[in-house]
Amino acid sequence: MKRSSSRRISTAALTALALTATATACGSGSGSTGSKASDSGTYTIWDPYPQFAKGSAWTKLLDACGTKAGVKIKRTGFDTSDLAGKALLAAQQDNSPDVLIVDNPVVSTLAEAGVLTTTADNKLDTSAVDPNLLAAGQSGGKTYGTPIGANTLALYYNKKILKAAGVDITTVKDWPSLTAALAKVKSAGKKGITFSAIGTEEGSFQFLPWFWGAGAKLTAVDSPAAVSALSLWKDWLDKGYAPNSVLNNTQTTSWQEFATGSYAFSENGTWQLAAAKKAGLDYGVLPIPGATGGSAAAPTGGEFVTLPVQSSTARYATTQKLATCLTSTQNLYDTDTTLSYVAPTAEVQQKQSAATPELTPWVAAVKAAKGRTSDDLGTKYPKISEQLWKAVQSALSGSKSPKDALSAAQSAVK
């Protein structure tokens, strides 16, 4: 695992990171140095949680893991959209942090650029991790890190509106029954469903459960299954079951629409649980149904704990101890409670559901979820995603039919 002191980062890696950068992270990180600037008794950790200041439960956990490993921790929290780029630059300068906690879609990009060690090399034990979650950190048959937790999408529903419309939520099991429920809601004078179809990664993120739920694959975005998914959304807009505002909605503004109490359904994530309670809505959560039933695979959010390549291989033994501590059963439970994440292991998931029953449908959604870069897409995913959100925009705005929009997307990907 020895490497030269300078690394040439590919244009593909930089482009991929630019396309997958999100605008959902909060706060900003301070300047920091990597492992090269640390003495042998200090280990650096970079994470995408700038909202957690010194003295928070998160930083106390990092310090405790450092103490257990017999070292001091120098931690810096960066904005999510900045972290991957800084990690690439640090790798070029042979100054990577010892531990890098990074958004799961960019793991394969960093791995392809040669920034990360594999679990075969760093000896991280991932045997207890759910395979569908671990897949987000796999590329070329190798695994790069382990998930610290996951979030995903599901359908929040307003019990009061559904009751007034005569909808029994237990009957909503597939696309036809969901559409029938939306028709009843509209007939009762209420609003149907809100989601985010904005022309960014957020739009692709929200479309993927329907895309995958139809049986479509990202390697063929113009398949009949893909067309059926986009046609579903288009039909909802045409019939007034979903508002035209979805074309510009972020996940946040979509949630704000639902929080008014006017909508029967909202496609949104685990991260809105606290907001749902604060809004005072009588709500429930339903995994997004597949076209013909069952739970659709929704894309996984959340971060991976990774170990960047170091020129001094002597650091790896301690780094492995730090990563193992951060992802231990007890620490996963505490951390994922703080982050509103579902844990990546069955043991901790069971503990979460027992302590917080409202997490139970989210555990089911995460178990059915899928990494955006799974299927060994790696750095191909960002380009596919960009064409997918453009197709969604074209179809929902009426400038192209769903079939023509997706055909154009497939041509552009090729």
Side-chain angles (χ1 to χ4, degrees):
M1 294 187 294
K2 185 84 173 176
R3 73 160 188 209
S4 63
S5 61
S6 177
R7 181 174 303 282
R8 185 180 298 278
I9 303 301
S10 69
T11 301
L14 294 172
T15 301
L17 289 173
L19 290 173
T20 53
T22 64
T24 56
C26 57
S28 60
S30 61
S32 176
T33 57
S35 64
K36 194 174 181 181
S38 301
D39 60 52
S40 60
T42 301
Y43 280 67
T44 55
I45 297 178
W46 291 2
D47 66 53
Y49 314 127
Q51 68 270 32
F52 297 132
K54 187 174 179 61
S56 66
W58 171 245
T59 59
K60 287 179 180 178
L61 171 60
L62 297 181
D63 289 338
C65 285
T67 298
K68 186 176 181 181
V71 297
K72 294 181 179 179
I73 298 299
K74 180 176 176 59
R75 173 259 179 177
T76 304
F78 292 97
D79 184 274
T80 300
S81 58
D82 293 336
L83 180 54
K86 291 185 181 299
L88 284 171
L89 180 61
Q92 284 182 308
Q93 299 171 342
D94 190 26
N95 199 27
S96 292
D98 292 290
V99 176
L100 175 65
I101 303 172
V102 65
D103 198 18
N104 76 70
V106 300
V107 171
S108 56
T109 298
L110 294 175
E112 188 172 306
V115 176
L116 306 177
T117 62
T118 70
T119 54
D121 286 336
N122 60 43
K123 308 305 179 186
L124 271 180
D125 182 7
T126 60
S127 60
V129 178
D130 286 352
N132 66 314
L133 301 182
L134 191 63
Q138 294 174 327
S139 179
K142 298 178 180 179
T143 303
Y144 298 86
T146 187
I148 200 168
N151 55 33
T152 194
L153 298 166
L155 293 178
Y156 288 85
Y157 59 88
N158 185 310
K159 294 181 180 180
K160 182 178 179 181
I161 290 179
L162 293 184
K163 183 178 180 180
V167 174
D168 179 357
I169 194 62
T170 64
T171 65
V172 179
K173 299 179 180 298
D174 51 24
W175 291 2
S177 56
L178 175 57
T179 300
L182 294 174
K184 286 185 176 182
V185 168
K186 185 184 179 186
S187 295
K190 300 295 184 179
K191 297 177 180 179
I193 186 168
T194 179
F195 49 87
S196 170
I198 194 170
T200 68
E201 176 62 22
E202 285 190 75
S204 292
F205 188 76
Q206 291 239 320
F207 181 59
L208 280 173
W210 312 95
F211 181 89
W212 284 331
K217 296 182 178 181
L218 287 170
T219 50
V221 298
D222 60 346
S223 68
V227 173
S228 71
L230 188 48
S231 296
L232 178 75
W233 272 19
K234 176 60 174 170
D235 288 345
W236 285 352
L237 262 69
D238 289 347
K239 293 176 180 176
Y241 300 161
N244 288 327
S245 59
V246 300
L247 279 160
N248 297 309
N249 272 349
T250 63
Q251 293 181 103
T252 298
T253 55
S254 172
W255 177 259
Q256 290 168 348
E257 289 180 336
F258 181 72
T260 65
S262 302
Y263 284 85
F265 294 93
S266 171
E267 180 184 356
N268 229 294
T270 329
W271 53 89
Q272 297 293 4
L273 277 172
K277 294 176 183 177
K278 186 176 180 180
L281 299 173
D282 188 9
Y283 74 94
V285 177
L286 177 74
I288 296 172
T292 59
S295 295
T300 55
E303 289 78 43
F304 264 61
V305 178
T306 68
L307 279 57
V309 173
Q310 305 292 341
S311 55
S312 173
T313 59
R315 301 183 71 84
Y316 292 137
T318 297
T319 305
Q320 191 268 359
K321 291 180 182 178
L322 294 173
T324 298
C325 176
L326 290 175
T327 56
S328 68
T329 296
Q330 183 57 50
N331 288 338
L332 277 177
Y333 178 78
D334 293 339
T335 297
D336 290 339
T337 298
T338 298
L339 298 174
S340 293
Y341 280 174
V342 171
T345 67
E347 180 182 0
V348 183
Q349 290 167 1
Q350 291 169 4
K351 188 175 179 180
Q352 287 180 306
S353 291
T356 312
E358 58 261 41
L359 280 178
T360 300
W362 290 106
V363 170
V366 164
K367 282 187 173 296
K370 183 175 181 177
R372 282 165 276 177
T373 58
S374 296
D375 300 328
D376 220 19
L377 288 175
T379 54
K380 297 177 184 176
Y381 170 75
K383 185 175 182 180
I384 295 170
S385 175
E386 181 182 19
Q387 296 307 318
L388 197 60
W389 81 58
K390 286 180 177 179
V392 169
Q393 286 268 305
S394 295
L396 298 191
S397 66
S399 64
K400 291 180 180 177
S401 69
K403 186 176 187 300
D404 288 345
L406 290 169
S407 292
Q410 185 63 29
S411 296
V413 169
K414 288 181 178 179

